[in-house]
């Protein structure tokens, strides 16, 4: 039989052990899922630094992430696989296959999606590029609407017992804060163990007095956790009606519509921009979602005017203007920080290891991370992105070549510093 493609082995620590093929076979039995007791999720804040060009400073961005136990994640993966298959049929039926581009296996990456948008803007200039971001997207999904869309997609009047159990697990879930686990004097030290062992049992969590939080009350039924294997697929399902209406509106207006998770892109003639924005706001309001005003962008793309040439539209990690495409300043600055941090850590590790004894520093790992020789790193990604944009990606090549030269100089300097050549005597 073999391991199904939807199953993914996970190595993180949770309240249970990683599962194998025996459990995978059980998951595909509805009666088993119907009776399965879902465990609390583990919650943590994922922090990342972002450079804000308009503010000329780096700020911290926090995103609440929740991950499921190994057993629960296996079940979510299987039902996400079933849901995704049904969605793909619907996308193909309604002509939405090219418009919803996040959380799907399309054989393309962000560079290709961004290049498609750029090429459309070039071909239809002058045009207005509108970009919107939904406020607290995963946390705002209305449970009643989500459940109705799930029933519609599955073609049922009521969810079967197994589907209802899965739906309930992601709409009325329980969770434990990672910080509370790490702070506990008994459980905390276990979190540092690098073995696939359970952190603790639920009974022990309760006995230690660690709070188990509940996601919603019956009077406030909205929001799903971001981070479970089924969350992204449910998010796409939630916006199915919105996508369909936006596609029809775009076709009538002769415009370009794409949605990447909660990032909405609409490219249209300048005179239609205000009406398009009003339409998007109206449709999102029907879905009980709101636009983040702080992240809204309205960019004129017009090589014939100073205004249309001077400002770039930001999309999926790229800055797009009539002069070409480049990587966003925040993406490049983030790589610079990673390079400096990696060099600093290597220097510190070398100093600790040396301790007066002969020591040879290997820069192989650093070069894999920060040179074009790496198969999957920033340099190789940037070159693939430049290829996706064709002649309009020349600016990306200049950026990455400048970074590669600087990285090479940093690594050579570090190697010379820690592996000095012996002097003649």
């Amino acid at each position: 039989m073999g391991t199904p493609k939807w199953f993914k082995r996970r190595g993180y620590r949770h309240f249970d052990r990683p599962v194998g093929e025996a459990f995978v076979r059980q998951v595909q039995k509805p009666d088993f899922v119907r009776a399965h007791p879902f465990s609390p999720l583990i919650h943590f804040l994922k922090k990342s630094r972002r450079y804000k060009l308009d503010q000329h400073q780096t700020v911290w961005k926090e995103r609440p992430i929740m991950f499921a136990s190994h057993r629960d994640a296996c079940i979510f993966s299987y039902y996400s696989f079933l849901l995704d298959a049904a969605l793909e049929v619907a996308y193909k039926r309604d002509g939405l296959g090219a418009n919803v581009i996040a959380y799907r296996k399309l054989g393309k990456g962000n560079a290709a999606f961004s290049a498609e948008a750029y090429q459309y803007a070039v071909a239809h200039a002058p045009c207005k590029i509108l970009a919107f971001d939904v406020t607290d997207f995963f946390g705002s999904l209305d449970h009643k609407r989500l459940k109705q869309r799930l029933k519609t997609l599955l073609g049922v009047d009521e969810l079967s017992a197994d589907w209802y159990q899965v739906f309930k697990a992601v709409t009325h879930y329980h969770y434990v804060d990672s910080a509370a686990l790490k702070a506990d004097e008994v459980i905390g030290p276990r979190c540092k163990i690098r073995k696939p062992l359970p952190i603790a049992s639920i009974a022990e969590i309760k006995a230690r007095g660690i709070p188990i939080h509940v996601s919603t009350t019956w009077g406030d039924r909205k929001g799903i956790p971001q981070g479970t294997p089924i969350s992204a697929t449910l998010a796409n399902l939630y916006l199915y009606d919105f996508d369909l209406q936006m596609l029809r509106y775009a076709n009538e207006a002769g415009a370009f519509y794409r949605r990447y998770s909660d990032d909405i892109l609409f490219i249209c003639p300048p005179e239609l921009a205000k009406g398009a924005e009003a339409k998007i706001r109206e449709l999102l309001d029907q879905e009980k979602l709101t636009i983040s005003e702080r992240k809204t962008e309205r960019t004129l793309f017009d090589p014939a005017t100073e205004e249309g040439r001077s400002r770039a539209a930001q999309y999926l990690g790229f800055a797009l203007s009539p002069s070409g495409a480049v990587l966003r300043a925040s993406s490049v600055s983030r790589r610079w920080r990673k390079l400096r941090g990696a060099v600093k850590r290597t220097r510190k590790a070398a100093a600790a290891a040396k301790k007066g004894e002969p020591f040879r520093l290997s820069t192989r790992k650093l070069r894999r991370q920060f040179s074009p020789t790496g198969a999957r790193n920033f340099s190789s990604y940037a070159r693939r992105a430049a290829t996706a944009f064709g002649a309009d990606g020349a600016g990306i090549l200049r950026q990455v070549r400048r970074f590669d030269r600087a990285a090479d100089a940093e690594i050579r300097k570090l190697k010379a510093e820690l592996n000095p050549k012996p002097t003649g005597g």
Side-chain angles (χ1 to χ4, degrees):
M1 177 179 171
T3 304
K5 292 182 179 180
W6 56 263
F7 174 64
K8 178 182 178 181
R9 297 187 184 278
R10 294 171 166 82
Y12 55 68
R13 306 283 306 288
H14 214 286
F15 302 133
D16 61 351
R17 295 174 180 269
V19 300
E21 291 187 13
F23 188 81
V24 170
R25 289 192 293 272
Q26 292 292 97
V27 161
Q28 299 175 66
K29 301 175 182 178
D31 286 344
F32 177 82
V33 176
R34 175 186 58 78
H36 177 76
F38 283 84
S39 299
L41 305 167
I42 293 181
H43 162 271
F44 72 98
L45 284 176
K46 183 178 181 179
K47 298 181 180 180
S48 56
R49 288 193 289 183
R50 293 286 186 270
Y51 179 74
K52 296 295 183 181
L53 189 61
D54 56 339
Q55 302 175 25
H56 301 288
Q57 64 176 338
T58 299
V59 299
W60 282 99
K61 180 180 179 180
E62 293 185 345
R63 178 179 299 169
I65 301 295
M66 304 202 187
F67 58 105
S69 70
H70 295 282
R71 288 171 172 256
D72 296 352
C74 185
I75 293 174
F76 288 145
S77 294
Y78 177 58
Y79 280 78
S80 178
F81 165 76
L82 298 177
L83 182 59
D84 182 67
L87 266 177
E88 288 300 324
V89 171
Y91 285 147
K92 184 176 181 179
R93 179 195 67 213
D94 292 332
L96 277 167
N99 303 92
V100 182
I101 57 179
Y103 315 130
R104 298 172 61 210
K105 295 179 176 64
L106 298 175
K108 298 179 181 180
N110 287 2
F113 296 136
S114 189
E116 288 176 357
Y118 179 79
Q119 289 154 9
Y120 181 92
V122 169
H124 294 80
C127 57
K128 204 72 173 284
I129 301 178
L130 306 176
F132 306 96
D133 190 284
V134 177
T135 301
D136 188 23
F137 180 42
F138 285 87
S140 300
L141 305 189
D142 181 75
H143 295 172
K144 185 177 180 180
R145 300 175 79 85
L146 180 61
K147 185 178 181 182
Q148 182 56 54
R149 294 206 172 127
L150 180 57
K151 290 191 291 186
T152 299
L153 185 68
L154 297 177
V156 297
D157 293 327
E158 292 297 335
L159 295 178
S160 60
D162 57 318
W163 267 108
Y164 180 72
Q165 187 76 341
V166 171
F167 179 80
K168 187 171 64 172
V170 289
T171 54
H172 192 65
Y173 56 90
H174 295 73
Y175 64 94
V176 175
D177 281 319
S178 174
L181 294 172
K182 293 177 180 178
D184 187 83
E185 60 181 14
V186 173
I187 297 175
R190 298 181 198 164
C191 297
K192 301 177 182 178
I193 299 174
R194 295 179 176 270
K195 292 183 180 180
L197 301 173
I199 296 173
S201 67
I202 303 303
E204 188 175 13
I205 294 293
K206 294 178 179 178
R208 296 293 307 164
I210 297 175
I212 299 178
H213 305 279
V214 64
S215 62
T216 58
T217 64
W218 290 107
D220 182 27
R221 301 309 302 269
K222 66 178 182 178
I224 63 173
Q226 185 173 0
T228 79
I230 200 173
S231 297
T233 316
L234 286 172
N236 271 348
L237 170 65
Y238 188 86
L239 283 180
Y240 193 90
D241 289 2
F242 172 82
D243 291 325
L244 194 55
Q245 293 185 73
M246 281 303 305
L247 175 61
R248 291 169 180 166
Y249 181 79
N251 288 341
E252 291 172 0
F256 181 94
Y257 167 66
R258 294 291 187 273
R259 180 177 64 79
Y260 189 98
S261 187
D262 61 337
D263 292 331
I264 297 165
L265 182 74
F266 197 84
I267 306 176
C268 64
E271 63 273 16
L272 300 182
K274 287 187 177 180
E277 180 172 342
K279 182 67 173 181
I280 292 169
R281 290 177 181 275
E282 174 194 340
L283 293 178
L284 284 176
D285 185 61
Q286 292 175 12
E287 302 295 342
K288 300 186 178 181
L289 299 173
T290 58
I291 285 175
S292 170
E293 301 298 339
R294 180 174 58 85
K295 295 181 179 180
T296 296
E297 291 192 4
R298 309 168 186 87
T299 309
L300 178 64
F301 189 98
D302 183 5
T305 65
E306 176 63 27
E307 179 188 358
R309 294 191 302 266
S310 62
R311 187 160 171 259
Q314 309 294 315
Y315 186 56
L316 300 182
F318 298 90
L320 314 177
S321 70
S323 61
V326 294
L327 296 164
R328 289 183 65 172
S330 58
S331 300
V332 178
S333 65
R334 186 159 59 249
R335 293 309 301 177
W336 278 102
R337 288 196 302 271
K338 288 189 176 182
L339 170 62
R340 296 189 184 103
V343 169
K344 183 178 180 181
R345 287 191 299 273
T346 302
R347 181 181 284 112
K348 185 176 180 181
K354 197 169 182 180
K355 295 182 179 178
E357 299 296 326
F359 176 81
R360 294 292 297 174
L361 170 72
S362 172
T363 58
R364 188 176 303 169
K365 183 177 179 181
L366 283 174
R367 291 201 177 279
R368 282 200 303 268
Q369 284 182 278
F370 302 103
S371 74
T373 57
R376 295 184 65 83
N377 62 14
F378 172 75
S379 294
S380 60
Y381 170 74
R383 281 170 167 76
R384 290 195 301 274
T387 300
F389 281 95
D392 295 309
I396 299 174
L397 280 178
R398 288 193 294 271
Q399 287 176 299
V400 71
R401 285 169 179 164
R402 186 163 56 246
F403 176 84
D404 288 343
R405 288 194 296 269
D408 181 66
E410 288 279 353
I411 293 170
R412 287 178 180 274
K413 177 182 176 182
L414 178 65
K415 189 172 183 178
E417 175 186 330
L418 299 179
N419 294 333
K421 294 181 179 180
T423 56

